[in-house]
Amino acid sequence: MKRFLTLGLPGLLLLLFLLSLGSPWSPILELAQRDADLAGAILLELRLPRAILALVYGAMLGASGAAIQALFANPLASPDLTGTTSGAALGAVVTAYLFAFASPFALAGGAVLGALGALALLLLLAGPRAEAATLLLSGIAISALAGALTTLALALAPSPFAFYDAYAWLMGSLADRSLNQALFAAVPAGAALLALWRFRSPLDSLVLGEDVAQSLGHDVRRMRLWIICLTAVGVGACVAVCGAVGFIGLVAPVFARWFVGGHPGRALGPAALIGACLLLGADVLARTAPLGRMLPLGVITALLGAPFFLWLVAHMRWSLSR
Amino acid sequence: MKPTVTGTDLALPGRLQPTQVEIAGGQLTCLVGPNGSGKTSLLHALSGIGRPEGEVRIHGRDPRRLSPAKRARLLTYLPATREIAWPLTVRDIAALGLDGSDVAVRVSAALRLLELDNLAEHRIDRLSTGERSRALIARVLAAEAELLLLDEPTANLDPLWQLRLMEQLRRLAREQARTILVAIHDLEIARRYADRLLLMAGGRIVADGPPDEILAGEPMARIFGIRRGTDGWEPLRPPADPRSLL
């Protein structure tokens, strides 16, 4: 298990990253022999930003999913099910269409505010150690509200492209992003990931409840505030560039905990790696599926993630009824 | 006996009135009092839970200034709840928050002491409540801390384990000079094992002394509303007729 974690996962990640840049059966190799400049431009300007975004966004979703699950002591919490990503999408859309700010700074700021708002609302509705049902219901309510408001903002928008954009914001897409845009997501998300890393062992001490964590000297209130802010910043910055992508934040931590004996805090690192692998894999699939056109990324993650979610709920119910 | 742990002006707003407390090492001190009298609050204040006011010194050191790893060697706390959110193994639960090169050895020894060695690799959520309690107690023993704060450690344990645990705690206090404070409801067990009793009511310590003296004292009867009869403890007044409540 440990060897797979230290060698296998990073290896798989590297393989998927390279695959995302160009597979052996892709026409780009052929093109490189005929027109090296064009092939280079495609690699650098189209595929590299896309691969970086998939890597960073996936890692951010995985790690923030693990952190939120540990914080709420609930394996069903994740940035999408708690409404964080929809809140971020709403923030970005409102900034772009209602206030007509198009600079990436403003978009990212709007998305971060939206994500913060959603998480604050969740904490208010569900409480710090929420039961699964309360957490999910609050998350559904927040997601539905944010989704409706996003659609409303786009319906009121003056731009004729708004409906195409709505699709991209709500389903998520990594296509046609520039290297600059990729860095705009990667820098805040990278910083948030590094900062989240510090909370691994405090999050593990929460297994025995807030009291025990406090008796060990962890300031639980401050930790909660930090994790919520870091998640909002990281996920918000990624959503501002790529839109909302579902289910990775739910699935990655569950797999990650298998590798670390169930420790929710220690799962942070593996969850980031698994999240990155999942999103890179999903994007490669979206691009190369033999359907003649590119598939929406969010559809692929949802198609793979939703059955897993169903299994998780059934499994929880089964272990509760035992 | 010289106190090893002192709490000065310890208070938790609404739960614990400003309290001075000194606890000596080498003794088992038990904390008794009715529901809501502040037993858990005093344990919380000593272990730094819920932002308590006042100061705590353990062997002259302020736990608030220490890193979690160093603090775990100074004080350890057993909560009254047996709820554990994640399905870790018994061994992993017993090692949670502990640090040092010898953690594995300390955990194994504690598990052996509580006869959990054959359950060590089992998931905690598949055990009975009593076994789960023992796993959490194993963590407290494996910490090998100077100050042990235990909130109702005998709850959920069968009678034999209740006695064995208290025996073990008293031995730990006497042989290794640890400072141990146990909140407990069973007055007979407290009388039998405690070297000193603290009686709490209304968020303050109202009586302090040897168990026999405290349990026979006037505050005891007034606060609990019970007295020692020929057949064990009995209520001062007969309970209300249920029909009169209708």
Side-chain angles (χ1 to χ4, degrees), chain A residues 102-270:
Chain A
S103 90
F105 272 114
L107 274 186
V112 169
L113 281 182
L116 267 180
L119 274 167
L121 196 60
L122 182 77
L123 208 57
L124 202 71
L125 283 175
R129 274 177 97 75
E131 294 211 340
T134 326
L135 188 79
L136 284 180
L137 288 175
S138 315
I140 289 168
I142 294 168
S143 292
L145 183 67
L149 289 174
T150 305
T151 318
L152 179 69
L154 287 164
L156 297 177
S159 157
F161 301 110
F163 272 100
Y164 173 73
D165 282 359
Y167 183 69
W169 284 117
L170 296 173
M171 291 298 1
S173 169
L174 304 176
D176 305 328
R177 305 304 197 257
S178 70
L179 204 54
N180 259 346
Q181 276 178 304
L183 290 180
F184 241 95
V187 172
L193 273 173
L194 284 181
L196 275 178
W197 186 253
R198 280 190 318 135
F199 290 100
R200 282 175 313 145
S201 91
L203 281 173
D204 270 343
S205 71
L206 268 183
V207 166
L208 297 180
E210 265 180 51
D211 286 352
V212 170
Q214 283 188 54
S215 78
L216 285 167
H218 300 299
D219 188 337
V220 176
R221 240 192 291 180
R222 222 177 66 186
M223 166 160 76
R224 188 178 298 130
L225 202 66
W226 265 109
I227 287 176
I228 283 181
C229 290
L230 289 171
T231 306
V233 167
V235 173
C238 290
V239 170
V241 176
C242 313
V245 171
F247 290 101
I248 300 231
L250 173 77
V251 175
V254 176
F255 285 133
R257 281 194 295 273
W258 290 353
F259 294 113
V260 292
H263 288 80
R266 241 174 269 176
L268 223 66

Side-chain angles (χ1 to χ4, degrees), chain A residues 59-78:
Chain A
M60 188 65 225
L61 284 173
S64 55
I68 292 179
Q69 290 181 5
L71 195 63
F72 281 96
N74 196 320
L76 294 181
S78 75

Side-chain angles (χ1 to χ4, degrees), chain A residues 69-70 73-75 129 204-205 207-208 211-212 214-219 221-222 257 260-264 318 322, chain B residues 44 47-51 67-68 71-72 75 77 79 83-89 92-93 96-97 125-126 136 139:
Chain A
Q69 290 181 5
N74 196 320
R129 274 177 97 75
D204 270 343
S205 71
V207 166
L208 297 180
D211 286 352
V212 170
Q214 283 188 54
S215 78
L216 285 167
H218 300 299
D219 188 337
R221 240 192 291 180
R222 222 177 66 186
R257 281 194 295 273
V260 292
H263 288 80
W318 178 77
R322 219 165 23 92
Chain B
H44 277 188
S47 46
I49 299 168
R51 298 173 185 249
S67 67
R71 189 159 153 149
L75 77 90
Y77 168 72
E83 289 298 316
I84 298 165
W86 299 95
L88 270 60
T89 64
D92 285 345
I93 288 288
L96 265 182
D125 56 324
R126 306 225 166 121
L136 291 171
R139 178 184 163 273

